[in-house]
Amino acid sequence: MNASFSPARFLDFSGLDTLIQAIRSAGYRCMGPAIENDALVLRELTGARELPRGMQAEQAPGQFKLTHDAENRYFAWANGPQAIKPYVFAPRESLWQVRRDEKGSLKFESFTPQPEKTALIGVRACDLAALTLQDAHFLEGQYSDSSYAIRRKSLFMVAMQCAEPAATCFCASTGDGPTPQSGYDLSLAELPDGFVVAAGSEPGQKVLSMLDLNEATPEQIQSTKEQGEAAARRQTRSLPARDLRPLLMNNLEHARWDEVAARCLACGNCTAVCPTCFCHAALDEPDAAAGKSLHVRQWDSCFNEGHAYLHGHNVRPDTRTRYRQWLTHKLATWHEQYGRSGCVGCGRCITWCPAGIDLTEEVAAMAKGS
Ligand code: SF4
Ligand code: SF4
């Protein structure tokens, strides 16, 4: 917890609704976990009674299955397919349009998003780490992305410690979880009788001070610490802590790329669910009858054929070179761009890959043969 904020408080389960109402009264629409199509997704939440209490999620390569939590906890799963990404980097948005006015001159008009102030309830440590990486990409370079910046400012993060990592999680090995360390407005850790709550920002402190809560006891704080450590120990997957640039960039012709390409469907699911992927396509949609053309940005994937098409030539003509591009960018050349790996260990690309391809296995196989 940031030292400038008040000590952590204890919120019993009956107070969870009061917290949600306090966030709503501060002007935020709350988006929290909900069950849809047998998955956990974020949907608007008006009260604690709507939370899918007592659920867990078993995850494995290519598999996500909801199960019941014997302890009837509120947040006893790791993550669903959605990260924070769609709330800052819109899957599809109009950036500008050009039209002819009555005198025949071209007029350019830009679009400015007007997002509702939104609180995301139950954000995981890996996703906060991923948001820091997205910030580096969209805000901290030579040019700042104004649409991203506006959406980013509208968010209020209610982080949740992971007590039940999925079998696909490996955030402990990347140093990004399972306990949120920074980047949140409020941070919660669920115990058998309630939550330890801490503020991490002025807006978070303001919401916390609206609640009449006792200070968390040293025993409760120690329990959350031990819970986080136990969750980290239960993770069975990992990425090597060492810099993977030499391994991957010195093995661009390794036979393993052919082997993985034989299984990969090039569907792009892994890039859609990845909280750090930021590739997009820019499209123009002309409407000759209306005398205007719309310029649109939408998510793209390095697995799409068109993403590698440059001036009459496709620079990545097959699945082998596209998978290689994905993995080498994510784990190797990302270091050159942003000073660290582009993987925060959320495991989504493993769970949501229809072929069950596991990047930790791919890296291990590459390391074995090198
Ligand atoms: S690795 Fe899996 S999710 Fe990614 S493109 Fe290939 S089949 Fe699709
Ligand atoms: S590469 Fe996979 S495990 Fe790593 S951040 Fe992206 S989706 Fe998560």
Side-chain angles (χ1 to χ4, degrees), residues 167-199:
T168 43
C169 293
F170 54 99
C171 63
S173 71
T174 63
D176 296 305
T179 299
Q181 300 298 334
S182 61
Y184 54 79
D185 295 289
L186 286 175
S187 171
L188 276 70
E190 186 169 2
L191 294 177
D193 49 351
F195 300 92
V196 171
V197 194

PDB file of all heavy atoms in Angstrom, residues 167-199:
ATOM      1  N   ALA A 167      -4.440 -23.068 -13.742  1.00  0.00           N
ATOM      2  CA  ALA A 167      -3.311 -23.922 -14.126  1.00  0.00           C
ATOM      3  C   ALA A 167      -2.509 -23.290 -15.266  1.00  0.00           C
ATOM      4  O   ALA A 167      -1.372 -23.684 -15.525  1.00  0.00           O
ATOM      5  CB  ALA A 167      -3.823 -25.290 -14.537  1.00  0.00           C
ATOM      6  N   THR A 168      -3.113 -22.320 -15.956  1.00  0.00           N
ATOM      7  CA  THR A 168      -2.418 -21.675 -17.075  1.00  0.00           C
ATOM      8  C   THR A 168      -1.662 -20.402 -16.646  1.00  0.00           C
ATOM      9  O   THR A 168      -0.968 -19.804 -17.465  1.00  0.00           O
ATOM     10  CB  THR A 168      -3.449 -21.306 -18.162  1.00  0.00           C
ATOM     11  OG1 THR A 168      -4.604 -20.761 -17.540  1.00  0.00           O
ATOM     12  CG2 THR A 168      -3.855 -22.517 -18.976  1.00  0.00           C
ATOM     13  N   CYS A 169      -1.837 -19.977 -15.399  1.00  0.00           N
ATOM     14  CA  CYS A 169      -1.186 -18.730 -14.936  1.00  0.00           C
ATOM     15  C   CYS A 169       0.309 -18.929 -14.672  1.00  0.00           C
ATOM     16  O   CYS A 169       0.710 -19.974 -14.167  1.00  0.00           O
ATOM     17  CB  CYS A 169      -1.822 -18.273 -13.626  1.00  0.00           C
ATOM     18  SG  CYS A 169      -3.527 -17.727 -13.756  1.00  0.00           S
ATOM     19  N   PHE A 170       1.094 -17.908 -14.962  1.00  0.00           N
ATOM     20  CA  PHE A 170       2.510 -17.938 -14.572  1.00  0.00           C
ATOM     21  C   PHE A 170       3.022 -16.533 -14.254  1.00  0.00           C
ATOM     22  O   PHE A 170       4.191 -16.207 -14.466  1.00  0.00           O
ATOM     23  CB  PHE A 170       3.379 -18.630 -15.635  1.00  0.00           C
ATOM     24  CG  PHE A 170       3.241 -18.063 -17.034  1.00  0.00           C
ATOM     25  CD1 PHE A 170       4.166 -17.168 -17.527  1.00  0.00           C
ATOM     26  CD2 PHE A 170       2.190 -18.443 -17.853  1.00  0.00           C
ATOM     27  CE1 PHE A 170       4.065 -16.651 -18.803  1.00  0.00           C
ATOM     28  CE2 PHE A 170       2.071 -17.926 -19.145  1.00  0.00           C
ATOM     29  CZ  PHE A 170       3.001 -17.033 -19.620  1.00  0.00           C
ATOM     30  N   CYS A 171       2.153 -15.704 -13.665  1.00  0.00           N
ATOM     31  CA  CYS A 171       2.526 -14.311 -13.357  1.00  0.00           C
ATOM     32  C   CYS A 171       3.625 -14.229 -12.307  1.00  0.00           C
ATOM     33  O   CYS A 171       4.360 -13.238 -12.258  1.00  0.00           O
ATOM     34  CB  CYS A 171       1.300 -13.523 -12.909  1.00  0.00           C
ATOM     35  SG  CYS A 171       0.586 -14.152 -11.379  1.00  0.00           S
ATOM     36  N   ALA A 172       3.752 -15.262 -11.446  1.00  0.00           N
ATOM     37  CA  ALA A 172       4.809 -15.207 -10.431  1.00  0.00           C
ATOM     38  C   ALA A 172       6.181 -15.226 -11.113  1.00  0.00           C
ATOM     39  O   ALA A 172       7.104 -14.519 -10.702  1.00  0.00           O
ATOM     40  CB  ALA A 172       4.668 -16.376  -9.468  1.00  0.00           C
ATOM     41  N   SER A 173       6.301 -16.001 -12.208  1.00  0.00           N
ATOM     42  CA  SER A 173       7.609 -16.095 -12.871  1.00  0.00           C
ATOM     43  C   SER A 173       7.947 -14.834 -13.664  1.00  0.00           C
ATOM     44  O   SER A 173       9.121 -14.537 -13.884  1.00  0.00           O
ATOM     45  CB  SER A 173       7.668 -17.323 -13.786  1.00  0.00           C
ATOM     46  OG  SER A 173       6.853 -17.153 -14.932  1.00  0.00           O
ATOM     47  N   THR A 174       6.928 -14.090 -14.085  1.00  0.00           N
ATOM     48  CA  THR A 174       7.222 -12.843 -14.815  1.00  0.00           C
ATOM     49  C   THR A 174       7.329 -11.657 -13.845  1.00  0.00           C
ATOM     50  O   THR A 174       7.637 -10.542 -14.257  1.00  0.00           O
ATOM     51  CB  THR A 174       6.129 -12.525 -15.871  1.00  0.00           C
ATOM     52  OG1 THR A 174       4.871 -12.308 -15.199  1.00  0.00           O
ATOM     53  CG2 THR A 174       5.969 -13.647 -16.877  1.00  0.00           C
ATOM     54  N   GLY A 175       7.016 -11.900 -12.569  1.00  0.00           N
ATOM     55  CA  GLY A 175       7.119 -10.833 -11.560  1.00  0.00           C
ATOM     56  C   GLY A 175       5.934  -9.890 -11.547  1.00  0.00           C
ATOM     57  O   GLY A 175       6.030  -8.774 -11.030  1.00  0.00           O
ATOM     58  N   ASP A 176       4.799 -10.336 -12.105  1.00  0.00           N
ATOM     59  CA  ASP A 176       3.657  -9.413 -12.230  1.00  0.00           C
ATOM     60  C   ASP A 176       2.480  -9.755 -11.309  1.00  0.00           C
ATOM     61  O   ASP A 176       1.495  -9.029 -11.304  1.00  0.00           O
ATOM     62  CB  ASP A 176       3.190  -9.396 -13.695  1.00  0.00           C
ATOM     63  CG  ASP A 176       4.265  -8.838 -14.608  1.00  0.00           C
ATOM     64  OD1 ASP A 176       4.720  -7.721 -14.356  1.00  0.00           O
ATOM     65  OD2 ASP A 176       4.678  -9.549 -15.546  1.00  0.00           O
ATOM     66  N   GLY A 177       2.519 -10.804 -10.548  1.00  0.00           N
ATOM     67  CA  GLY A 177       1.404 -11.171  -9.690  1.00  0.00           C
ATOM     68  C   GLY A 177       1.865 -12.222  -8.700  1.00  0.00           C
ATOM     69  O   GLY A 177       3.061 -12.520  -8.620  1.00  0.00           O
ATOM     70  N   PRO A 178       0.928 -12.803  -7.947  1.00  0.00           N
ATOM     71  CA  PRO A 178      -0.531 -12.666  -8.051  1.00  0.00           C
ATOM     72  C   PRO A 178      -1.135 -11.560  -7.167  1.00  0.00           C
ATOM     73  O   PRO A 178      -2.341 -11.378  -7.193  1.00  0.00           O
ATOM     74  CB  PRO A 178      -1.042 -14.047  -7.598  1.00  0.00           C
ATOM     75  CG  PRO A 178       0.009 -14.547  -6.670  1.00  0.00           C
ATOM     76  CD  PRO A 178       1.317 -13.934  -7.072  1.00  0.00           C
ATOM     77  N   THR A 179      -0.301 -10.834  -6.394  1.00  0.00           N
ATOM     78  CA  THR A 179      -0.838  -9.753  -5.560  1.00  0.00           C
ATOM     79  C   THR A 179      -0.587  -8.422  -6.245  1.00  0.00           C
ATOM     80  O   THR A 179       0.552  -8.126  -6.612  1.00  0.00           O
ATOM     81  CB  THR A 179      -0.160  -9.773  -4.168  1.00  0.00           C
ATOM     82  OG1 THR A 179      -0.457 -11.034  -3.541  1.00  0.00           O
ATOM     83  CG2 THR A 179      -0.683  -8.643  -3.291  1.00  0.00           C
ATOM     84  N   PRO A 180      -1.620  -7.598  -6.438  1.00  0.00           N
ATOM     85  CA  PRO A 180      -1.416  -6.291  -7.085  1.00  0.00           C
ATOM     86  C   PRO A 180      -0.465  -5.432  -6.258  1.00  0.00           C
ATOM     87  O   PRO A 180      -0.605  -5.340  -5.037  1.00  0.00           O
ATOM     88  CB  PRO A 180      -2.827  -5.681  -7.109  1.00  0.00           C
ATOM     89  CG  PRO A 180      -3.757  -6.841  -6.955  1.00  0.00           C
ATOM     90  CD  PRO A 180      -3.041  -7.846  -6.116  1.00  0.00           C
ATOM     91  N   GLN A 181       0.501  -4.832  -6.935  1.00  0.00           N
ATOM     92  CA  GLN A 181       1.487  -3.998  -6.229  1.00  0.00           C
ATOM     93  C   GLN A 181       1.269  -2.515  -6.460  1.00  0.00           C
ATOM     94  O   GLN A 181       1.598  -1.696  -5.604  1.00  0.00           O
ATOM     95  CB  GLN A 181       2.912  -4.368  -6.688  1.00  0.00           C
ATOM     96  CG  GLN A 181       3.294  -5.814  -6.430  1.00  0.00           C
ATOM     97  CD  GLN A 181       3.302  -6.179  -4.952  1.00  0.00           C
ATOM     98  OE1 GLN A 181       3.485  -5.326  -4.093  1.00  0.00           O
ATOM     99  NE2 GLN A 181       3.073  -7.442  -4.646  1.00  0.00           N
ATOM    100  N   SER A 182       0.761  -2.143  -7.610  1.00  0.00           N
ATOM    101  CA  SER A 182       0.598  -0.716  -7.932  1.00  0.00           C
ATOM    102  C   SER A 182      -0.397  -0.591  -9.084  1.00  0.00           C
ATOM    103  O   SER A 182      -0.838  -1.605  -9.647  1.00  0.00           O
ATOM    104  CB  SER A 182       1.944  -0.098  -8.337  1.00  0.00           C
ATOM    105  OG  SER A 182       2.425  -0.761  -9.494  1.00  0.00           O
ATOM    106  N   GLY A 183      -0.745   0.639  -9.395  1.00  0.00           N
ATOM    107  CA  GLY A 183      -1.600   0.886 -10.561  1.00  0.00           C
ATOM    108  C   GLY A 183      -3.083   0.780 -10.273  1.00  0.00           C
ATOM    109  O   GLY A 183      -3.891   0.876 -11.185  1.00  0.00           O
ATOM    110  N   TYR A 184      -3.450   0.614  -9.007  1.00  0.00           N
ATOM    111  CA  TYR A 184      -4.872   0.487  -8.665  1.00  0.00           C
ATOM    112  C   TYR A 184      -5.339   1.719  -7.884  1.00  0.00           C
ATOM    113  O   TYR A 184      -4.529   2.460  -7.319  1.00  0.00           O
ATOM    114  CB  TYR A 184      -5.117  -0.778  -7.834  1.00  0.00           C
ATOM    115  CG  TYR A 184      -4.254  -0.880  -6.592  1.00  0.00           C
ATOM    116  CD1 TYR A 184      -4.550  -0.180  -5.427  1.00  0.00           C
ATOM    117  CD2 TYR A 184      -3.111  -1.683  -6.587  1.00  0.00           C
ATOM    118  CE1 TYR A 184      -3.753  -0.263  -4.296  1.00  0.00           C
ATOM    119  CE2 TYR A 184      -2.300  -1.777  -5.464  1.00  0.00           C
ATOM    120  CZ  TYR A 184      -2.628  -1.060  -4.321  1.00  0.00           C
ATOM    121  OH  TYR A 184      -1.819  -1.145  -3.213  1.00  0.00           O
ATOM    122  N   ASP A 185      -6.653   1.901  -7.864  1.00  0.00           N
ATOM    123  CA  ASP A 185      -7.241   2.922  -7.000  1.00  0.00           C
ATOM    124  C   ASP A 185      -7.601   2.316  -5.648  1.00  0.00           C
ATOM    125  O   ASP A 185      -7.347   2.906  -4.608  1.00  0.00           O
ATOM    126  CB  ASP A 185      -8.468   3.531  -7.688  1.00  0.00           C
ATOM    127  CG  ASP A 185      -8.069   4.279  -8.959  1.00  0.00           C
ATOM    128  OD1 ASP A 185      -7.456   5.341  -8.843  1.00  0.00           O
ATOM    129  OD2 ASP A 185      -8.315   3.748 -10.061  1.00  0.00           O
ATOM    130  N   LEU A 186      -8.191   1.117  -5.721  1.00  0.00           N
ATOM    131  CA  LEU A 186      -8.437   0.343  -4.508  1.00  0.00           C
ATOM    132  C   LEU A 186      -7.924  -1.063  -4.759  1.00  0.00           C
ATOM    133  O   LEU A 186      -8.034  -1.576  -5.876  1.00  0.00           O
ATOM    134  CB  LEU A 186      -9.938   0.265  -4.199  1.00  0.00           C
ATOM    135  CG  LEU A 186     -10.612   1.518  -3.652  1.00  0.00           C
ATOM    136  CD1 LEU A 186     -12.116   1.282  -3.520  1.00  0.00           C
ATOM    137  CD2 LEU A 186     -10.032   1.932  -2.301  1.00  0.00           C
ATOM    138  N   SER A 187      -7.392  -1.685  -3.712  1.00  0.00           N
ATOM    139  CA  SER A 187      -6.943  -3.065  -3.840  1.00  0.00           C
ATOM    140  C   SER A 187      -7.631  -3.902  -2.766  1.00  0.00           C
ATOM    141  O   SER A 187      -7.658  -3.504  -1.600  1.00  0.00           O
ATOM    142  CB  SER A 187      -5.431  -3.121  -3.674  1.00  0.00           C
ATOM    143  OG  SER A 187      -5.017  -4.452  -3.591  1.00  0.00           O
ATOM    144  N   LEU A 188      -8.189  -5.043  -3.162  1.00  0.00           N
ATOM    145  CA  LEU A 188      -8.883  -5.916  -2.220  1.00  0.00           C
ATOM    146  C   LEU A 188      -8.209  -7.281  -2.195  1.00  0.00           C
ATOM    147  O   LEU A 188      -7.678  -7.740  -3.219  1.00  0.00           O
ATOM    148  CB  LEU A 188     -10.347  -6.123  -2.640  1.00  0.00           C
ATOM    149  CG  LEU A 188     -11.378  -5.062  -2.229  1.00  0.00           C
ATOM    150  CD1 LEU A 188     -11.166  -3.771  -2.987  1.00  0.00           C
ATOM    151  CD2 LEU A 188     -12.792  -5.577  -2.451  1.00  0.00           C
ATOM    152  N   ALA A 189      -8.233  -7.898  -1.028  1.00  0.00           N
ATOM    153  CA  ALA A 189      -7.810  -9.297  -0.902  1.00  0.00           C
ATOM    154  C   ALA A 189      -8.900 -10.006  -0.124  1.00  0.00           C
ATOM    155  O   ALA A 189      -9.299  -9.538   0.949  1.00  0.00           O
ATOM    156  CB  ALA A 189      -6.470  -9.395  -0.187  1.00  0.00           C
ATOM    157  N   GLU A 190      -9.407 -11.094  -0.671  1.00  0.00           N
ATOM    158  CA  GLU A 190     -10.546 -11.791  -0.063  1.00  0.00           C
ATOM    159  C   GLU A 190     -10.072 -12.815   0.966  1.00  0.00           C
ATOM    160  O   GLU A 190      -9.239 -13.662   0.672  1.00  0.00           O
ATOM    161  CB  GLU A 190     -11.371 -12.485  -1.162  1.00  0.00           C
ATOM    162  CG  GLU A 190     -12.651 -13.094  -0.630  1.00  0.00           C
ATOM    163  CD  GLU A 190     -13.603 -13.557  -1.744  1.00  0.00           C
ATOM    164  OE1 GLU A 190     -13.248 -13.445  -2.929  1.00  0.00           O
ATOM    165  OE2 GLU A 190     -14.709 -14.033  -1.390  1.00  0.00           O
ATOM    166  N   LEU A 191     -10.633 -12.723   2.178  1.00  0.00           N
ATOM    167  CA  LEU A 191     -10.371 -13.684   3.261  1.00  0.00           C
ATOM    168  C   LEU A 191     -11.676 -14.439   3.548  1.00  0.00           C
ATOM    169  O   LEU A 191     -12.719 -14.082   2.988  1.00  0.00           O
ATOM    170  CB  LEU A 191      -9.871 -12.923   4.499  1.00  0.00           C
ATOM    171  CG  LEU A 191      -8.500 -12.235   4.345  1.00  0.00           C
ATOM    172  CD1 LEU A 191      -8.131 -11.454   5.598  1.00  0.00           C
ATOM    173  CD2 LEU A 191      -7.412 -13.253   4.013  1.00  0.00           C
ATOM    174  N   PRO A 192     -11.671 -15.433   4.412  1.00  0.00           N
ATOM    175  CA  PRO A 192     -12.906 -16.221   4.632  1.00  0.00           C
ATOM    176  C   PRO A 192     -14.088 -15.392   5.127  1.00  0.00           C
ATOM    177  O   PRO A 192     -15.240 -15.784   4.933  1.00  0.00           O
ATOM    178  CB  PRO A 192     -12.472 -17.248   5.683  1.00  0.00           C
ATOM    179  CG  PRO A 192     -11.010 -17.393   5.480  1.00  0.00           C
ATOM    180  CD  PRO A 192     -10.510 -16.048   5.077  1.00  0.00           C
ATOM    181  N   ASP A 193     -13.844 -14.249   5.775  1.00  0.00           N
ATOM    182  CA  ASP A 193     -14.970 -13.477   6.325  1.00  0.00           C
ATOM    183  C   ASP A 193     -15.090 -12.069   5.747  1.00  0.00           C
ATOM    184  O   ASP A 193     -15.892 -11.266   6.245  1.00  0.00           O
ATOM    185  CB  ASP A 193     -14.837 -13.396   7.852  1.00  0.00           C
ATOM    186  CG  ASP A 193     -13.439 -12.958   8.278  1.00  0.00           C
ATOM    187  OD1 ASP A 193     -12.544 -12.888   7.406  1.00  0.00           O
ATOM    188  OD2 ASP A 193     -13.234 -12.690   9.467  1.00  0.00           O
ATOM    189  N   GLY A 194     -14.320 -11.725   4.744  1.00  0.00           N
ATOM    190  CA  GLY A 194     -14.433 -10.384   4.166  1.00  0.00           C
ATOM    191  C   GLY A 194     -13.181 -10.016   3.387  1.00  0.00           C
ATOM    192  O   GLY A 194     -12.416 -10.898   2.975  1.00  0.00           O
ATOM    193  N   PHE A 195     -12.988  -8.716   3.199  1.00  0.00           N
ATOM    194  CA  PHE A 195     -11.887  -8.241   2.357  1.00  0.00           C
ATOM    195  C   PHE A 195     -10.984  -7.277   3.129  1.00  0.00           C
ATOM    196  O   PHE A 195     -11.480  -6.433   3.887  1.00  0.00           O
ATOM    197  CB  PHE A 195     -12.439  -7.461   1.159  1.00  0.00           C
ATOM    198  CG  PHE A 195     -13.337  -8.258   0.270  1.00  0.00           C
ATOM    199  CD1 PHE A 195     -14.712  -8.270   0.480  1.00  0.00           C
ATOM    200  CD2 PHE A 195     -12.820  -8.994  -0.787  1.00  0.00           C
ATOM    201  CE1 PHE A 195     -15.561  -8.996  -0.343  1.00  0.00           C
ATOM    202  CE2 PHE A 195     -13.658  -9.733  -1.615  1.00  0.00           C
ATOM    203  CZ  PHE A 195     -15.026  -9.739  -1.397  1.00  0.00           C
ATOM    204  N   VAL A 196      -9.699  -7.371   2.893  1.00  0.00           N
ATOM    205  CA  VAL A 196      -8.783  -6.313   3.315  1.00  0.00           C
ATOM    206  C   VAL A 196      -8.704  -5.339   2.144  1.00  0.00           C
ATOM    207  O   VAL A 196      -8.454  -5.749   1.006  1.00  0.00           O
ATOM    208  CB  VAL A 196      -7.392  -6.883   3.673  1.00  0.00           C
ATOM    209  CG1 VAL A 196      -6.390  -5.749   3.883  1.00  0.00           C
ATOM    210  CG2 VAL A 196      -7.490  -7.749   4.918  1.00  0.00           C
ATOM    211  N   VAL A 197      -8.991  -4.053   2.425  1.00  0.00           N
ATOM    212  CA  VAL A 197      -9.075  -3.042   1.361  1.00  0.00           C
ATOM    213  C   VAL A 197      -8.027  -1.960   1.603  1.00  0.00           C
ATOM    214  O   VAL A 197      -7.922  -1.441   2.711  1.00  0.00           O
ATOM    215  CB  VAL A 197     -10.449  -2.322   1.371  1.00  0.00           C
ATOM    216  CG1 VAL A 197     -10.649  -1.536   0.084  1.00  0.00           C
ATOM    217  CG2 VAL A 197     -11.580  -3.272   1.604  1.00  0.00           C
ATOM    218  N   ALA A 198      -7.311  -1.599   0.546  1.00  0.00           N
ATOM    219  CA  ALA A 198      -6.321  -0.525   0.654  1.00  0.00           C
ATOM    220  C   ALA A 198      -6.499   0.439  -0.514  1.00  0.00           C
ATOM    221  O   ALA A 198      -6.876   0.026  -1.613  1.00  0.00           O
ATOM    222  CB  ALA A 198      -4.905  -1.109   0.632  1.00  0.00           C
ATOM    223  N   ALA A 199      -6.234   1.708  -0.256  1.00  0.00           N
ATOM    224  CA  ALA A 199      -6.290   2.717  -1.322  1.00  0.00           C
ATOM    225  C   ALA A 199      -4.920   2.848  -1.965  1.00  0.00           C
ATOM    226  O   ALA A 199      -3.890   2.705  -1.297  1.00  0.00           O
ATOM    227  CB  ALA A 199      -6.731   4.062  -0.751  1.00  0.00           C
TER     228      ALA A 199
END
